[in-house]
Amino acid sequence: SAKVVIRGVSFHPGDSYHRMKNAILIADEFIRMLPPAETPAETRGREGFYHLDEIRGNVERCELFYILRDHDSRILERRKETMLEASDRINRLYAAPGETAAEVEITDSYENMIGQILPDHAYLLDAVREVYREMGIVPAEDPIRGGTDGARLSFLGVPCLNLGTGGHNFHGPKEYISIQSMDLAVEVLIRLASR
């Protein structure tokens, strides 16, 4: 994740000529410095992205909250560098001597468990596939493009799989799951636990 803080300079609009630096407008410039085709709405599968999740601000200070994702750790590192480079450009354009107009704080929150943890615990995947086969379920083994509790737990020493629940439209206003899907998800868990 990345938190970007943009600092502006506020003046009364009637007396702001060449003095006001609107943090909201500067934040807009920062946003446009990132690749527009690399957002969640423009990527899929194992393609990574910059996800602008929240903005707060006014003329003097604007905060941007990003989620950075990629299944390739080298590309993820490049995404972090791109954020820092955009911050440097904003500082060159808008910072007064000895000050900063943009600051980026990057925090590693979720790592790629499929590439780093789960290969050592393949029996977990095998058990799930076997239960699905028994139940006549054809699994869709698609990558999770966001962060998961399972990823955090896996890196804390508890290897976790992301099992489908049968839900739809996650994190949206029309998120739902049917009772039938919930029943199947429970049955999968019971069968896994019995192993």
Side-chain angles (χ1 to χ4, degrees):
S1 58
K3 176 182 177 183
V4 181
V5 176
I6 305 290
R7 292 176 187 84
V9 178
S10 182
F11 277 92
H12 186 284
D15 192 29
S16 62
Y17 183 73
H18 287 297
R19 295 162 73 176
M20 178 188 286
K21 294 178 183 175
N22 188 324
I24 298 168
L25 297 176
I26 296 170
D28 178 58
E29 285 188 51
F30 181 94
I31 292 164
R32 288 186 283 121
M33 289 178 182
L34 302 180
E38 295 182 25
T39 67
E42 298 295 326
T43 57
R44 63 182 172 215
R46 294 194 183 279
E47 296 173 324
F49 54 80
Y50 302 85
H51 176 39
L52 179 57
D53 189 46
E54 183 179 349
I55 299 176
R56 296 182 217 151
N58 57 34
V59 171
E60 287 186 305
R61 180 183 173 98
C62 190
E63 297 174 333
L64 310 172
F65 297 88
Y66 279 89
I67 296 171
L68 309 176
R69 290 286 184 269
D70 211 288
H71 286 82
D72 182 321
S73 59
R74 292 168 300 175
I75 298 173
L76 181 59
E77 289 303 314
R78 182 65 191 127
R79 288 186 192 292
K80 295 175 188 179
E81 291 171 17
T82 298
M83 298 288 287
L84 296 170
E85 290 165 2
S87 174
D88 289 344
R89 282 184 273 168
I90 292 295
N91 283 319
R92 284 193 301 274
L93 290 169
Y94 293 103
E99 296 181 7
T100 56
E103 189 175 309
V104 176
E105 178 184 321
I106 296 174
T107 305
D108 289 328
S109 52
Y110 293 102
E111 296 183 62
N112 185 355
M113 65 188 198
I114 193 76
Q116 298 177 42
I117 300 293
L118 294 181
D120 294 334
H121 303 279
Y123 67 93
L124 294 171
L125 284 168
D126 294 340
V128 172
R129 290 177 182 130
E130 198 171 309
V131 165
Y132 282 171
R133 227 180 353 267
E134 289 172 4
M135 294 177 64
I137 297 171
V138 178
E141 297 187 23
D142 298 323
I144 301 296
R145 290 171 40 83
T148 68
D149 295 337
R152 291 291 292 155
L153 289 169
S154 291
F155 282 90
L156 292 172
V158 182
C160 295
L161 301 176
N162 291 307
L163 301 179
T165 60
H168 301 273
N169 304 326
F170 295 109
H171 296 315
K174 296 181 179 181
E175 180 175 342
Y176 73 94
I177 185 171
S178 71
I179 295 294
Q180 294 84 354
S181 292
M182 290 178 82
D183 286 344
L184 279 174
V186 169
E187 181 66 22
V188 168
L189 294 174
I190 290 170
R191 288 182 186 219
L192 282 172
S194 72
R195 293 176 181 271

